[in-house]
Amino acid sequence: MPHSANDIDDFDEDLKSKSEVKREMLRLQDYAYKLIKMSKHQRSRLPLTDELKENLVLADKILNKHEALRRHVRYVAKVLSETDLEPINQALDVMANKHQQETAKFVYLEALRDELIDQGNEKIESLLSDTPTLERQKLRQLVRQASKEKAAEKLGKYYRDLFSYLKENIKQ
């Protein structure tokens, strides 16, 4: 059966060049190395296949054997090439996003603490109306003590206690 020019073009689109295959394997090796460098606790939160879990445990054992680790990373990359990476990527994104959310909350609470100290009663009343779970007396006491520390230019115990109290009681 004779081949038309269109048949040959369709066939060429399905083939990857040697360079493309190499780049893809290098990306997978980087991905594998990223997984290997993660802590066991972080990895336990990923949806990994049993085969991947076993290979990552083995990688932990050979971390200080450079050449063996290099070969093993290649093997893990090969296993990854046969695995659906989407669920793993989603789990990694959630983990990264959680860290960003915690950082944002930390920055927000620091700013709130400083506003409470600087603005005093007005800010306290505003916060109490927005957050009814806070205890008025305890909040006032912490703000008053933290203000004294700030005036004395010796930020210490109450400054930290005020932050801790806000962190425990404000859900952002």
Side-chain angles (χ1 to χ4, degrees):
M1 172 152 70
H3 293 287
S4 69
N6 287 342
D7 290 341
I8 294 171
D9 288 344
D10 291 342
F11 183 72
D12 286 345
E13 288 175 13
D14 293 340
L15 286 178
K16 290 183 181 176
S17 71
K18 204 173 183 181
S19 300
E20 280 181 275
V21 171
K22 220 174 187 179
R23 277 191 296 272
E24 191 173 315
M25 278 314 286
L26 287 173
R27 273 194 301 275
L28 284 171
Q29 286 175 25
D30 288 343
Y31 194 86
Y33 198 66
K34 178 180 173 184
L35 292 177
I36 289 169
K37 288 195 305 185
M38 293 176 83
S39 71
K40 290 175 183 166
H41 174 71
Q42 288 172 319
R43 275 194 244 146
S44 70
R45 296 166 47 197
L46 297 176
L48 302 173
T49 63
D50 290 339
E51 184 181 10
L52 271 173
K53 287 177 186 174
E54 291 168 11
N55 280 299
L56 293 174
V57 167
L58 177 59
D60 290 339
K61 294 177 183 174
I62 61 172
L63 273 177
N64 57 355
K65 296 175 175 64
H66 179 71
E67 188 59 28
L69 182 63
R70 185 186 66 77
R71 285 192 307 270
H72 192 65
V73 165
R74 284 181 149 174
Y75 178 72
V76 173
K78 182 177 180 278
V79 173
L80 285 169
S81 72
E82 300 162 359
T83 305
D84 179 18
L85 299 179
E86 190 57 33
I88 299 172
N89 287 331
Q90 287 176 346
L92 288 170
D93 287 346
V94 167
M95 288 166 64
N97 191 9
K98 185 174 183 184
H99 177 71
Q100 290 170 345
Q101 288 172 347
E102 288 172 4
T103 303
K105 182 178 182 184
F106 188 83
V107 169
Y108 166 76
L109 290 174
E110 280 186 327
L112 180 61
R113 173 189 58 197
D114 293 342
E115 286 175 18
L116 285 167
I117 292 170
D118 294 340
Q119 297 173 19
N121 253 1
E122 190 178 305
K123 187 65 181 176
I124 291 172
E125 291 304 320
S126 163
L127 181 63
L128 286 169
S129 65
D130 294 342
T131 317
T133 57
L134 293 173
E135 296 176 36
R136 178 181 308 273
Q137 186 177 354
K138 182 168 177 104
L139 182 62
R140 285 182 183 281
Q141 182 183 15
L142 288 170
V143 170
R144 188 172 45 253
Q145 295 294 341
S147 295
K148 287 180 185 175
E149 287 181 348
K150 187 172 183 179
E153 295 182 8
K154 293 182 178 178
L155 299 178
K157 180 184 183 327
Y158 293 104
Y159 192 72
R160 289 188 304 271
D161 287 350
L162 177 57
F163 180 82
S164 296
Y165 182 70
L166 293 172
K167 184 177 177 185
E168 291 168 13
N169 293 290
I170 294 181
K171 306 294 179 229
Q172 192 181 17

